[in-house]
PDB file of all heavy atoms in Angstrom:
ATOM      1  N   PHE A   1      15.416  23.758  32.910  1.00 92.00           N
ATOM      2  CA  PHE A   1      16.550  23.385  31.996  1.00 92.00           C
ATOM      3  C   PHE A   1      17.824  22.995  32.740  1.00 92.00           C
ATOM      4  O   PHE A   1      18.396  21.933  32.459  1.00 92.00           O
ATOM      5  CB  PHE A   1      16.901  24.420  30.914  1.00 92.00           C
ATOM      6  CG  PHE A   1      18.240  24.069  30.145  1.00 92.00           C
ATOM      7  CD1 PHE A   1      18.299  23.250  29.159  1.00 92.00           C
ATOM      8  CD2 PHE A   1      19.340  24.905  30.538  1.00 92.00           C
ATOM      9  CE1 PHE A   1      19.497  22.975  28.581  1.00 92.00           C
ATOM     10  CE2 PHE A   1      20.512  24.697  30.002  1.00 92.00           C
ATOM     11  CZ  PHE A   1      20.654  23.651  28.925  1.00 92.00           C
ATOM     12  N   LEU A   2      18.169  23.848  33.783  1.00 93.00           N
ATOM     13  CA  LEU A   2      19.315  23.493  34.647  1.00 93.00           C
ATOM     14  C   LEU A   2      19.199  22.234  35.390  1.00 93.00           C
ATOM     15  O   LEU A   2      20.130  21.453  35.461  1.00 93.00           O
ATOM     16  CB  LEU A   2      19.488  24.635  35.556  1.00 93.00           C
ATOM     17  CG  LEU A   2      20.577  24.494  36.645  1.00 93.00           C
ATOM     18  CD1 LEU A   2      22.023  24.474  35.823  1.00 93.00           C
ATOM     19  CD2 LEU A   2      20.643  25.659  37.519  1.00 93.00           C
ATOM     20  N   LEU A   3      17.913  21.940  35.811  1.00 92.00           N
ATOM     21  CA  LEU A   3      17.755  20.735  36.538  1.00 92.00           C
ATOM     22  C   LEU A   3      17.885  19.493  35.610  1.00 92.00           C
ATOM     23  O   LEU A   3      18.680  18.501  35.835  1.00 92.00           O
ATOM     24  CB  LEU A   3      16.319  20.647  37.040  1.00 92.00           C
ATOM     25  CG  LEU A   3      15.786  19.497  37.923  1.00 92.00           C
ATOM     26  CD1 LEU A   3      16.687  19.311  39.108  1.00 92.00           C
ATOM     27  CD2 LEU A   3      14.375  19.662  38.319  1.00 92.00           C
ATOM     28  N   THR A   4      17.389  19.398  34.464  1.00 89.00           N
ATOM     29  CA  THR A   4      17.291  18.376  33.580  1.00 89.00           C
ATOM     30  C   THR A   4      18.680  18.161  32.844  1.00 89.00           C
ATOM     31  O   THR A   4      19.327  17.144  32.736  1.00 89.00           O
ATOM     32  CB  THR A   4      16.232  18.396  32.397  1.00 89.00           C
ATOM     33  OG1 THR A   4      16.452  19.750  31.786  1.00 89.00           O
ATOM     34  CG2 THR A   4      14.857  18.292  32.991  1.00 89.00           C
ATOM     35  N   ASP A   5      19.437  19.359  32.458  1.00 91.00           N
ATOM     36  CA  ASP A   5      20.701  19.391  31.977  1.00 91.00           C
ATOM     37  C   ASP A   5      21.756  18.811  32.920  1.00 91.00           C
ATOM     38  O   ASP A   5      22.653  18.033  32.576  1.00 91.00           O
ATOM     39  CB  ASP A   5      21.028  20.758  31.509  1.00 91.00           C
ATOM     40  CG  ASP A   5      22.438  20.689  30.854  1.00 91.00           C
ATOM     41  OD1 ASP A   5      22.605  20.181  29.780  1.00 91.00           O
ATOM     42  OD2 ASP A   5      23.336  21.438  31.433  1.00 91.00           O
ATOM     43  N   SER A   6      21.566  19.115  34.224  1.00 92.00           N
ATOM     44  CA  SER A   6      22.507  18.662  35.228  1.00 92.00           C
ATOM     45  C   SER A   6      22.310  17.081  35.394  1.00 92.00           C
ATOM     46  O   SER A   6      23.235  16.434  35.673  1.00 92.00           O
ATOM     47  CB  SER A   6      22.226  19.326  36.584  1.00 92.00           C
ATOM     48  OG  SER A   6      22.471  20.759  36.417  1.00 92.00           O
ATOM     49  N   GLN A   7      21.011  16.577  35.336  1.00 89.00           N
ATOM     50  CA  GLN A   7      20.800  15.190  35.409  1.00 89.00           C
ATOM     51  C   GLN A   7      21.457  14.552  34.285  1.00 89.00           C
ATOM     52  O   GLN A   7      22.157  13.385  34.494  1.00 89.00           O
ATOM     53  CB  GLN A   7      19.363  14.897  35.372  1.00 89.00           C
ATOM     54  CG  GLN A   7      18.947  13.467  35.463  1.00 89.00           C
ATOM     55  CD  GLN A   7      17.499  13.156  35.249  1.00 89.00           C
ATOM     56  OE1 GLN A   7      16.771  14.099  34.686  1.00 89.00           O
ATOM     57  NE2 GLN A   7      17.042  12.016  35.460  1.00 89.00           N
ATOM     58  N   ASN A   8      21.468  15.053  33.166  1.00 90.00           N
ATOM     59  CA  ASN A   8      22.038  14.466  31.872  1.00 90.00           C
ATOM     60  C   ASN A   8      23.507  14.411  32.070  1.00 90.00           C
ATOM     61  O   ASN A   8      24.266  13.522  31.440  1.00 90.00           O
ATOM     62  CB  ASN A   8      21.593  15.064  30.664  1.00 90.00           C
ATOM     63  CG  ASN A   8      20.131  14.874  30.347  1.00 90.00           C
ATOM     64  OD1 ASN A   8      19.432  13.959  30.745  1.00 90.00           O
ATOM     65  ND2 ASN A   8      19.537  15.826  29.660  1.00 90.00           N
ATOM     66  N   ASN A   9      24.119  15.404  32.608  1.00 90.00           N
ATOM     67  CA  ASN A   9      25.591  15.618  32.737  1.00 90.00           C
ATOM     68  C   ASN A   9      26.110  15.046  34.035  1.00 90.00           C
ATOM     69  O   ASN A   9      27.435  15.117  34.361  1.00 90.00           O
ATOM     70  CB  ASN A   9      26.038  17.008  32.579  1.00 90.00           C
ATOM     71  CG  ASN A   9      25.674  17.551  31.232  1.00 90.00           C
ATOM     72  OD1 ASN A   9      25.957  16.840  30.241  1.00 90.00           O
ATOM     73  ND2 ASN A   9      25.183  18.617  31.137  1.00 90.00           N
ATOM     74  N   GLY A  10      25.285  14.448  34.827  1.00 88.00           N
ATOM     75  CA  GLY A  10      25.739  13.927  36.190  1.00 88.00           C
ATOM     76  C   GLY A  10      26.241  14.912  37.224  1.00 88.00           C
ATOM     77  O   GLY A  10      27.018  14.612  38.057  1.00 88.00           O
ATOM     78  N   ARG A  11      25.675  16.221  37.012  1.00 92.00           N
ATOM     79  CA  ARG A  11      26.048  17.281  37.929  1.00 92.00           C
ATOM     80  C   ARG A  11      24.920  17.390  39.080  1.00 92.00           C
ATOM     81  O   ARG A  11      24.114  18.148  39.111  1.00 92.00           O
ATOM     82  CB  ARG A  11      26.195  18.536  37.202  1.00 92.00           C
ATOM     83  CG  ARG A  11      27.356  18.611  36.326  1.00 92.00           C
ATOM     84  CD  ARG A  11      28.637  18.513  36.959  1.00 92.00           C
ATOM     85  NE  ARG A  11      28.780  19.516  38.102  1.00 92.00           N
ATOM     86  CZ  ARG A  11      29.373  20.816  37.915  1.00 92.00           C
ATOM     87  NH1 ARG A  11      29.887  21.081  36.678  1.00 92.00           N
ATOM     88  NH2 ARG A  11      29.530  21.617  38.885  1.00 92.00           N
ATOM     89  N   THR A  12      25.097  16.306  39.966  1.00 93.00           N
ATOM     90  CA  THR A  12      24.282  16.300  41.155  1.00 93.00           C
ATOM     91  C   THR A  12      24.144  17.609  41.911  1.00 93.00           C
ATOM     92  O   THR A  12      23.273  18.090  42.458  1.00 93.00           O
ATOM     93  CB  THR A  12      24.372  15.178  42.134  1.00 93.00           C
ATOM     94  OG1 THR A  12      24.814  14.068  41.286  1.00 93.00           O
ATOM     95  CG2 THR A  12      23.310  14.893  42.902  1.00 93.00           C
ATOM     96  N   ASP A  13      25.375  18.309  42.107  1.00 93.00           N
ATOM     97  CA  ASP A  13      25.476  19.587  42.802  1.00 93.00           C
ATOM     98  C   ASP A  13      24.696  20.684  42.241  1.00 93.00           C
ATOM     99  O   ASP A  13      23.783  21.310  42.939  1.00 93.00           O
ATOM    100  CB  ASP A  13      26.929  20.005  42.983  1.00 93.00           C
ATOM    101  CG  ASP A  13      27.617  20.026  41.611  1.00 93.00           C
ATOM    102  OD1 ASP A  13      26.996  19.563  40.545  1.00 93.00           O
ATOM    103  OD2 ASP A  13      28.745  20.660  41.393  1.00 93.00           O
ATOM    104  N   ARG A  14      24.581  20.616  40.905  1.00 94.00           N
ATOM    105  CA  ARG A  14      23.750  21.637  40.220  1.00 94.00           C
ATOM    106  C   ARG A  14      22.220  21.322  40.198  1.00 94.00           C
ATOM    107  O   ARG A  14      21.363  22.100  40.264  1.00 94.00           O
ATOM    108  CB  ARG A  14      24.078  21.800  38.849  1.00 94.00           C
ATOM    109  CG  ARG A  14      25.474  22.441  38.613  1.00 94.00           C
ATOM    110  CD  ARG A  14      25.765  22.856  37.169  1.00 94.00           C
ATOM    111  NE  ARG A  14      27.164  23.528  37.014  1.00 94.00           N
ATOM    112  CZ  ARG A  14      27.521  23.978  35.874  1.00 94.00           C
ATOM    113  NH1 ARG A  14      26.980  23.597  34.739  1.00 94.00           N
ATOM    114  NH2 ARG A  14      28.725  24.553  35.716  1.00 94.00           N
ATOM    115  N   MET A  15      21.956  19.919  40.300  1.00 94.00           N
ATOM    116  CA  MET A  15      20.608  19.501  40.478  1.00 94.00           C
ATOM    117  C   MET A  15      20.030  19.995  41.867  1.00 94.00           C
ATOM    118  O   MET A  15      18.993  20.547  41.853  1.00 94.00           O
ATOM    119  CB  MET A  15      20.505  17.933  40.401  1.00 94.00           C
ATOM    120  CG  MET A  15      20.706  17.268  38.934  1.00 94.00           C
ATOM    121  SD  MET A  15      20.693  15.554  39.044  1.00 94.00           S
ATOM    122  CE  MET A  15      19.146  15.154  39.724  1.00 94.00           C
ATOM    123  N   PHE A  16      20.912  19.767  42.942  1.00 95.00           N
ATOM    124  CA  PHE A  16      20.450  20.323  44.194  1.00 95.00           C
ATOM    125  C   PHE A  16      20.197  21.728  44.086  1.00 95.00           C
ATOM    126  O   PHE A  16      19.298  22.371  44.834  1.00 95.00           O
ATOM    127  CB  PHE A  16      21.434  19.797  45.269  1.00 95.00           C
ATOM    128  CG  PHE A  16      21.146  18.494  45.849  1.00 95.00           C
ATOM    129  CD1 PHE A  16      21.598  17.360  45.225  1.00 95.00           C
ATOM    130  CD2 PHE A  16      20.428  18.297  47.046  1.00 95.00           C
ATOM    131  CE1 PHE A  16      21.369  16.077  45.689  1.00 95.00           C
ATOM    132  CE2 PHE A  16      20.168  17.129  47.550  1.00 95.00           C
ATOM    133  CZ  PHE A  16      20.634  16.045  46.937  1.00 95.00           C
ATOM    134  N   LEU A  17      21.145  22.529  43.527  1.00 95.00           N
ATOM    135  CA  LEU A  17      21.154  24.005  43.315  1.00 95.00           C
ATOM    136  C   LEU A  17      19.699  24.295  42.821  1.00 95.00           C
ATOM    137  O   LEU A  17      19.127  25.286  43.274  1.00 95.00           O
ATOM    138  CB  LEU A  17      22.251  24.486  42.577  1.00 95.00           C
ATOM    139  CG  LEU A  17      22.249  25.975  42.298  1.00 95.00           C
ATOM    140  CD1 LEU A  17      22.258  26.821  43.562  1.00 95.00           C
ATOM    141  CD2 LEU A  17      23.377  26.290  41.357  1.00 95.00           C
ATOM    142  N   ALA A  18      19.474  23.692  41.688  1.00 95.00           N
ATOM    143  CA  ALA A  18      18.258  24.035  41.040  1.00 95.00           C
ATOM    144  C   ALA A  18      17.006  23.822  41.860  1.00 95.00           C
ATOM    145  O   ALA A  18      16.050  24.654  41.918  1.00 95.00           O
ATOM    146  CB  ALA A  18      18.068  23.230  39.648  1.00 95.00           C
ATOM    147  N   ILE A  19      16.991  22.776  42.548  1.00 94.00           N
ATOM    148  CA  ILE A  19      15.822  22.420  43.458  1.00 94.00           C
ATOM    149  C   ILE A  19      15.650  23.345  44.647  1.00 94.00           C
ATOM    150  O   ILE A  19      14.540  23.866  44.838  1.00 94.00           O
ATOM    151  CB  ILE A  19      15.961  20.978  44.026  1.00 94.00           C
ATOM    152  CG1 ILE A  19      15.858  19.820  42.849  1.00 94.00           C
ATOM    153  CG2 ILE A  19      14.889  20.646  45.176  1.00 94.00           C
ATOM    154  CD1 ILE A  19      16.300  18.621  43.242  1.00 94.00           C
ATOM    155  N   ILE A  20      16.878  23.718  45.145  1.00 94.00           N
ATOM    156  CA  ILE A  20      16.859  24.687  46.350  1.00 94.00           C
ATOM    157  C   ILE A  20      16.427  26.049  45.845  1.00 94.00           C
ATOM    158  O   ILE A  20      15.575  26.696  46.419  1.00 94.00           O
ATOM    159  CB  ILE A  20      18.197  24.789  47.110  1.00 94.00           C
ATOM    160  CG1 ILE A  20      18.480  23.342  47.740  1.00 94.00           C
ATOM    161  CG2 ILE A  20      18.245  25.834  48.029  1.00 94.00           C
ATOM    162  CD1 ILE A  20      19.853  23.259  48.199  1.00 94.00           C
ATOM    163  N   THR A  21      16.872  26.423  44.658  1.00 95.00           N
ATOM    164  CA  THR A  21      16.533  27.672  44.108  1.00 95.00           C
ATOM    165  C   THR A  21      15.089  27.819  43.848  1.00 95.00           C
ATOM    166  O   THR A  21      14.364  28.883  44.098  1.00 95.00           O
ATOM    167  CB  THR A  21      17.321  28.033  42.856  1.00 95.00           C
ATOM    168  OG1 THR A  21      18.673  27.950  43.212  1.00 95.00           O
ATOM    169  CG2 THR A  21      17.045  29.423  42.368  1.00 95.00           C
ATOM    170  N   LEU A  22      14.439  26.759  43.308  1.00 94.00           N
ATOM    171  CA  LEU A  22      12.992  26.680  42.931  1.00 94.00           C
ATOM    172  C   LEU A  22      12.283  26.855  44.272  1.00 94.00           C
ATOM    173  O   LEU A  22      11.189  27.515  44.248  1.00 94.00           O
ATOM    174  CB  LEU A  22      12.673  25.408  42.216  1.00 94.00           C
ATOM    175  CG  LEU A  22      13.057  25.350  40.791  1.00 94.00           C
ATOM    176  CD1 LEU A  22      12.913  23.835  40.316  1.00 94.00           C
ATOM    177  CD2 LEU A  22      12.156  26.300  39.898  1.00 94.00           C
ATOM    178  N   ALA A  23      12.679  26.139  45.333  1.00 93.00           N
ATOM    179  CA  ALA A  23      12.013  26.136  46.658  1.00 93.00           C
ATOM    180  C   ALA A  23      11.965  27.698  47.134  1.00 93.00           C
ATOM    181  O   ALA A  23      11.036  28.013  47.617  1.00 93.00           O
ATOM    182  CB  ALA A  23      12.655  25.137  47.475  1.00 93.00           C
ATOM    183  N   VAL A  24      13.208  28.201  47.230  1.00 94.00           N
ATOM    184  CA  VAL A  24      13.281  29.529  47.815  1.00 94.00           C
ATOM    185  C   VAL A  24      12.528  30.548  46.980  1.00 94.00           C
ATOM    186  O   VAL A  24      11.900  31.392  47.702  1.00 94.00           O
ATOM    187  CB  VAL A  24      14.885  29.965  47.839  1.00 94.00           C
ATOM    188  CG1 VAL A  24      15.018  31.392  48.254  1.00 94.00           C
ATOM    189  CG2 VAL A  24      15.577  28.971  48.902  1.00 94.00           C
ATOM    190  N   ILE A  25      12.692  30.648  45.689  1.00 95.00           N
ATOM    191  CA  ILE A  25      11.924  31.510  44.851  1.00 95.00           C
ATOM    192  C   ILE A  25      10.379  31.388  44.990  1.00 95.00           C
ATOM    193  O   ILE A  25       9.627  32.322  45.069  1.00 95.00           O
ATOM    194  CB  ILE A  25      12.469  31.540  43.469  1.00 95.00           C
ATOM    195  CG1 ILE A  25      13.882  31.937  43.360  1.00 95.00           C
ATOM    196  CG2 ILE A  25      11.514  32.546  42.586  1.00 95.00           C
ATOM    197  CD1 ILE A  25      14.406  31.809  41.899  1.00 95.00           C
ATOM    198  N   GLY A  26       9.960  30.095  44.947  1.00 93.00           N
ATOM    199  CA  GLY A  26       8.584  29.758  45.176  1.00 93.00           C
ATOM    200  C   GLY A  26       7.951  30.241  46.388  1.00 93.00           C
ATOM    201  O   GLY A  26       6.852  30.777  46.556  1.00 93.00           O
ATOM    202  N   LYS A  27       8.847  29.971  47.470  1.00 93.00           N
ATOM    203  CA  LYS A  27       8.280  30.502  48.764  1.00 93.00           C
ATOM    204  C   LYS A  27       8.401  32.040  48.875  1.00 93.00           C
ATOM    205  O   LYS A  27       7.435  32.587  49.369  1.00 93.00           O
ATOM    206  CB  LYS A  27       9.220  30.016  49.886  1.00 93.00           C
ATOM    207  CG  LYS A  27       8.898  30.483  51.304  1.00 93.00           C
ATOM    208  CD  LYS A  27       7.545  30.249  51.673  1.00 93.00           C
ATOM    209  CE  LYS A  27       7.213  30.677  53.004  1.00 93.00           C
ATOM    210  NZ  LYS A  27       5.882  30.683  53.350  1.00 93.00           N
ATOM    211  N   ALA A  28       9.231  32.630  48.287  1.00 94.00           N
ATOM    212  CA  ALA A  28       9.380  34.099  48.233  1.00 94.00           C
ATOM    213  C   ALA A  28       8.158  34.624  47.502  1.00 94.00           C
ATOM    214  O   ALA A  28       7.463  35.661  47.919  1.00 94.00           O
ATOM    215  CB  ALA A  28      10.716  34.642  47.596  1.00 94.00           C
ATOM    216  N   THR A  29       7.883  34.181  46.298  1.00 94.00           N
ATOM    217  CA  THR A  29       6.645  34.687  45.656  1.00 94.00           C
ATOM    218  C   THR A  29       5.342  34.428  46.348  1.00 94.00           C
ATOM    219  O   THR A  29       4.395  35.425  46.287  1.00 94.00           O
ATOM    220  CB  THR A  29       6.669  33.969  44.161  1.00 94.00           C
ATOM    221  OG1 THR A  29       6.697  32.628  44.249  1.00 94.00           O
ATOM    222  CG2 THR A  29       7.796  34.654  43.331  1.00 94.00           C
ATOM    223  N   ASP A  30       5.221  33.367  46.932  1.00 93.00           N
ATOM    224  CA  ASP A  30       4.131  32.986  47.770  1.00 93.00           C
ATOM    225  C   ASP A  30       3.946  33.984  48.975  1.00 93.00           C
ATOM    226  O   ASP A  30       2.902  34.401  49.308  1.00 93.00           O
ATOM    227  CB  ASP A  30       4.129  31.517  48.297  1.00 93.00           C
ATOM    228  CG  ASP A  30       2.914  31.244  49.110  1.00 93.00           C
ATOM    229  OD1 ASP A  30       1.901  31.105  48.619  1.00 93.00           O
ATOM    230  OD2 ASP A  30       3.063  31.174  50.380  1.00 93.00           O
ATOM    231  N   ALA A  31       5.112  34.389  49.609  1.00 92.00           N
ATOM    232  CA  ALA A  31       5.011  35.386  50.674  1.00 92.00           C
ATOM    233  C   ALA A  31       4.627  36.629  50.168  1.00 92.00           C
ATOM    234  O   ALA A  31       3.814  37.303  50.839  1.00 92.00           O
ATOM    235  CB  ALA A  31       6.385  35.353  51.314  1.00 92.00           C
ATOM    236  N   LEU A  32       4.977  37.126  49.065  1.00 93.00           N
ATOM    237  CA  LEU A  32       4.557  38.439  48.507  1.00 93.00           C
ATOM    238  C   LEU A  32       3.202  38.385  48.198  1.00 93.00           C
ATOM    239  O   LEU A  32       2.353  39.329  48.489  1.00 93.00           O
ATOM    240  CB  LEU A  32       5.310  38.675  47.165  1.00 93.00           C
ATOM    241  CG  LEU A  32       6.866  39.067  47.230  1.00 93.00           C
ATOM    242  CD1 LEU A  32       7.530  39.136  45.879  1.00 93.00           C
ATOM    243  CD2 LEU A  32       7.038  40.294  48.133  1.00 93.00           C
ATOM    244  N   LEU A  33       2.603  37.179  47.664  1.00 93.00           N
ATOM    245  CA  LEU A  33       1.131  37.153  47.450  1.00 93.00           C
ATOM    246  C   LEU A  33       0.444  37.097  48.750  1.00 93.00           C
ATOM    247  O   LEU A  33      -0.830  37.593  48.791  1.00 93.00           O
ATOM    248  CB  LEU A  33       0.864  35.857  46.608  1.00 93.00           C
ATOM    249  CG  LEU A  33      -0.541  35.658  45.959  1.00 93.00           C
ATOM    250  CD1 LEU A  33      -0.739  36.866  45.022  1.00 93.00           C
ATOM    251  CD2 LEU A  33      -0.556  34.472  45.190  1.00 93.00           C
ATOM    252  N   GLY A  34       0.985  36.499  49.788  1.00 91.00           N
ATOM    253  CA  GLY A  34       0.427  36.525  51.091  1.00 91.00           C
ATOM    254  C   GLY A  34       0.228  37.896  51.636  1.00 91.00           C
ATOM    255  O   GLY A  34      -0.764  38.253  52.254  1.00 91.00           O
ATOM    256  N   ILE A  35       1.203  38.776  51.516  1.00 91.00           N
ATOM    257  CA  ILE A  35       1.120  40.154  51.934  1.00 91.00           C
ATOM    258  C   ILE A  35      -0.120  40.883  51.144  1.00 91.00           C
ATOM    259  O   ILE A  35      -0.781  41.621  51.660  1.00 91.00           O
ATOM    260  CB  ILE A  35       2.426  40.899  51.562  1.00 91.00           C
ATOM    261  CG1 ILE A  35       3.615  40.313  52.563  1.00 91.00           C
ATOM    262  CG2 ILE A  35       2.330  42.430  51.857  1.00 91.00           C
ATOM    263  CD1 ILE A  35       4.934  40.818  52.188  1.00 91.00           C
ATOM    264  N   ALA A  36      -0.119  40.598  49.780  1.00 90.00           N
ATOM    265  CA  ALA A  36      -1.256  41.203  49.126  1.00 90.00           C
ATOM    266  C   ALA A  36      -2.586  40.760  49.464  1.00 90.00           C
ATOM    267  O   ALA A  36      -3.511  41.427  49.528  1.00 90.00           O
ATOM    268  CB  ALA A  36      -0.938  40.885  47.616  1.00 90.00           C
ATOM    269  N   GLU A  37      -2.639  39.468  49.888  1.00 88.00           N
ATOM    270  CA  GLU A  37      -3.947  38.839  50.481  1.00 88.00           C
ATOM    271  C   GLU A  37      -4.235  39.618  51.723  1.00 88.00           C
ATOM    272  O   GLU A  37      -5.497  39.911  51.865  1.00 88.00           O
ATOM    273  CB  GLU A  37      -3.695  37.374  50.742  1.00 88.00           C
ATOM    274  CG  GLU A  37      -4.899  36.656  51.237  1.00 88.00           C
ATOM    275  CD  GLU A  37      -4.655  35.300  51.618  1.00 88.00           C
ATOM    276  OE1 GLU A  37      -3.485  34.744  51.488  1.00 88.00           O
ATOM    277  OE2 GLU A  37      -5.597  34.706  52.028  1.00 88.00           O
ATOM    278  N   LYS A  38      -3.395  39.843  52.588  1.00 88.00           N
ATOM    279  CA  LYS A  38      -3.763  40.480  53.844  1.00 88.00           C
ATOM    280  C   LYS A  38      -4.283  41.880  53.714  1.00 88.00           C
ATOM    281  O   LYS A  38      -5.211  42.393  54.270  1.00 88.00           O
ATOM    282  CB  LYS A  38      -2.415  40.664  54.685  1.00 88.00           C
ATOM    283  CG  LYS A  38      -2.122  39.148  55.277  1.00 88.00           C
ATOM    284  CD  LYS A  38      -0.872  39.376  56.224  1.00 88.00           C
ATOM    285  CE  LYS A  38      -0.336  38.016  56.714  1.00 88.00           C
ATOM    286  NZ  LYS A  38       0.823  38.131  57.595  1.00 88.00           N
ATOM    287  N   ARG A  39      -3.659  42.657  52.687  1.00 88.00           N
ATOM    288  CA  ARG A  39      -4.140  43.960  52.356  1.00 88.00           C
ATOM    289  C   ARG A  39      -5.491  43.895  51.681  1.00 88.00           C
ATOM    290  O   ARG A  39      -6.424  44.790  52.013  1.00 88.00           O
ATOM    291  CB  ARG A  39      -3.034  44.708  51.459  1.00 88.00           C
ATOM    292  CG  ARG A  39      -1.769  44.937  52.083  1.00 88.00           C
ATOM    293  CD  ARG A  39      -0.802  45.682  51.193  1.00 88.00           C
ATOM    294  NE  ARG A  39       0.472  45.995  51.843  1.00 88.00           N
ATOM    295  CZ  ARG A  39       1.510  46.590  51.139  1.00 88.00           C
ATOM    296  NH1 ARG A  39       1.432  46.798  49.928  1.00 88.00           N
ATOM    297  NH2 ARG A  39       2.573  46.818  52.014  1.00 88.00           N
ATOM    298  N   ALA A  40      -5.658  42.934  50.843  1.00 83.00           N
ATOM    299  CA  ALA A  40      -6.963  42.869  50.245  1.00 83.00           C
ATOM    300  C   ALA A  40      -8.058  42.475  51.060  1.00 83.00           C
ATOM    301  O   ALA A  40      -9.148  43.008  51.082  1.00 83.00           O
ATOM    302  CB  ALA A  40      -6.828  41.856  48.991  1.00 83.00           C
ATOM    303  N   VAL A  41      -7.875  41.578  52.011  1.00 82.00           N
ATOM    304  CA  VAL A  41      -8.793  41.184  52.956  1.00 82.00           C
ATOM    305  C   VAL A  41      -9.235  42.364  53.995  1.00 82.00           C
ATOM    306  O   VAL A  41     -10.391  42.662  54.204  1.00 82.00           O
ATOM    307  CB  VAL A  41      -8.299  39.979  53.782  1.00 82.00           C
ATOM    308  CG1 VAL A  41      -9.095  39.736  55.153  1.00 82.00           C
ATOM    309  CG2 VAL A  41      -8.144  38.636  53.035  1.00 82.00           C
ATOM    310  N   ARG A  42      -8.174  43.177  54.336  1.00 82.00           N
ATOM    311  CA  ARG A  42      -8.558  44.332  55.155  1.00 82.00           C
ATOM    312  C   ARG A  42      -9.348  45.303  54.451  1.00 82.00           C
ATOM    313  O   ARG A  42     -10.231  46.034  54.960  1.00 82.00           O
ATOM    314  CB  ARG A  42      -7.224  44.939  55.729  1.00 82.00           C
ATOM    315  CG  ARG A  42      -6.522  44.298  56.776  1.00 82.00           C
ATOM    316  CD  ARG A  42      -5.438  45.201  57.525  1.00 82.00           C
ATOM    317  NE  ARG A  42      -4.366  45.626  56.578  1.00 82.00           N
ATOM    318  CZ  ARG A  42      -3.210  44.974  56.416  1.00 82.00           C
ATOM    319  NH1 ARG A  42      -2.966  43.902  57.223  1.00 82.00           N
ATOM    320  NH2 ARG A  42      -2.341  45.590  55.679  1.00 82.00           N
TER     321      ARG A  42
END
């Protein structure tokens, strides 16, 4: 919602913020799943 609402309101700074936040959280959750994968494989 923040991404699309920022687009509608011309807030490019918030658009970049939403994209970066999605990237960081997505990578963080993938890293946690990677830790679980290593333990499960062992």
Side-chain angles (χ1 to χ4, degrees):
F1 165 77
L2 178 62
L3 183 63
T4 54
D5 182 65
S6 301
Q7 179 189 14
N8 295 334
N9 294 321
R11 292 297 304 269
T12 318
D13 52 350
R14 291 187 177 182
M15 288 175 58
F16 273 84
L17 173 62
I19 293 170
I20 293 170
T21 305
L22 285 167
V24 171
I25 299 177
K27 176 56 183 174
T29 52
D30 178 74
L32 291 175
L33 195 55
I35 294 172
E37 177 183 6
K38 291 178 181 178
R39 293 181 178 178
V41 169
R42 283 197 300 266

